[in-house]
Amino acid sequence: MSNQLPSMEEPDLTICAPCSRHEAEQWARDGERDAGYALKAANCYIFLVKTGTEKASRLADARTGRQLAEGAVQRQPGSGLAHYLYAYLTGLEAENDPLRGLELVPVIEREARRAAELRPSIDHAGPDRMLGELYLRAPGIPVSIGDVEKAVVSYRRAVGLDPGCADNRLGLAEALLEGEDTTEACLELHRLLSDMPPDTAFEATWQHALDLLKRVCAAKNAE
């Protein structure tokens, strides 16, 4: 009887789904024989980083996950999921190791762009949302690749792919505001809040605030 694991190919994952360290380590071992398990392990390490309480542990988990995702990219270069997880975990490593942050930016950009080409809808348009945030947060040229106009373009693509994702619309509004397009930023925030009604206890206050925002938007549009 063969000891080989059945091939998982590209698993259908929910990004940052809850998991345990034991599962991450087991999938990583299984991933030595099958890239699908390596991707499951990499995704689990995202969850461990995001929920970790100690910086050193978060950094170690981000590096472990990134190595798993990078290996999966080498074995499955046509996998949009592999490229996206590689970009995501590289971003988490940069967040937890600021001294290497700028050094890792080109990797994040490259892998997110490749993921956007291969599987743009993954994680609610995650690749374009990631590019939008990268261009918005990174220092500008010549230090790095920061570019507000590119951020707006990327967030617009994300909104076009998944307009129901609040993070896509919030990112677009912030990029528009950073680019001093206050009128459209105002309208985008109004659209976002209109689709996010609060708990019943705060409905009257929320509606009042929404009405005020609408008036501000109208005033800006009239200028």
Side-chain angles (χ1 to χ4, degrees):
M1 181 178 294
S2 173
N3 291 324
Q4 290 292 317
L5 292 169
S7 177
M8 293 187 65
E9 297 182 349
E10 183 168 293
D12 186 16
L13 297 177
T14 299
I15 304 301
C16 197
C19 62
S20 68
R21 184 169 299 279
H22 173 76
E23 288 174 317
E25 293 171 350
Q26 180 61 57
W27 289 330
R29 288 191 293 270
D30 294 342
E32 296 175 4
R33 292 178 287 177
D34 190 295
Y37 286 97
L39 291 174
K40 287 192 70 173
N43 189 47
C44 188
Y45 276 106
I46 290 176
F47 175 77
L48 296 177
V49 175
K50 300 282 276 187
T51 58
T53 57
E54 297 182 2
K55 184 175 181 179
S57 178
R58 292 197 305 269
L59 178 57
D61 286 338
R63 286 175 174 168
T64 299
R66 180 177 63 81
Q67 290 167 0
L68 286 162
E70 182 179 11
V73 163
Q74 293 170 353
R75 293 155 69 181
Q76 295 185 340
S79 168
L81 173 61
H83 286 281
Y84 183 60
L85 293 178
Y86 186 12
Y88 201 135
L89 283 151
T90 304
L92 290 177
E93 181 176 349
E95 287 178 15
N96 287 280
D97 188 2
L99 294 178
R100 290 194 65 217
L102 290 179
E103 174 188 339
L104 295 172
V105 163
V107 178
I108 302 169
E109 182 188 31
R110 182 192 70 218
E111 295 304 312
R113 290 179 65 179
R114 186 62 177 141
E117 294 171 358
L118 292 168
R119 197 171 168 185
S121 62
I122 189 172
D123 194 23
H124 305 285
D128 281 309
R129 184 173 62 253
M130 183 182 294
L131 286 168
E133 182 172 4
L134 187 65
Y135 294 134
L136 186 61
R137 309 292 180 204
I141 296 172
V143 176
S144 189
I145 63 170
D147 187 315
V148 172
E149 291 184 3
K150 285 186 177 181
V152 170
V153 169
S154 295
Y155 276 124
R156 284 195 196 281
R157 281 200 300 262
V159 170
L161 286 164
D162 194 335
C165 177
D167 286 339
N168 293 344
R169 289 198 172 278
L170 187 61
L172 176 56
E174 186 174 358
L176 288 165
L177 188 60
E178 188 68 22
E180 299 185 353
D181 190 344
T182 54
T183 298
E184 190 175 354
C186 187
L187 293 172
E188 196 61 47
L189 281 172
H190 187 271
R191 295 187 193 105
L192 171 63
L193 293 173
S194 295
D195 293 336
M196 296 175 61
D199 293 337
T200 304
F202 300 98
E203 186 170 357
T205 302
W206 171 83
Q207 186 60 57
H208 188 196
L210 191 62
D211 290 341
L212 288 175
L213 178 60
K214 187 175 183 179
R215 288 171 57 188
V216 171
C217 294
K220 291 299 297 180
N221 195 41
E223 289 181 357

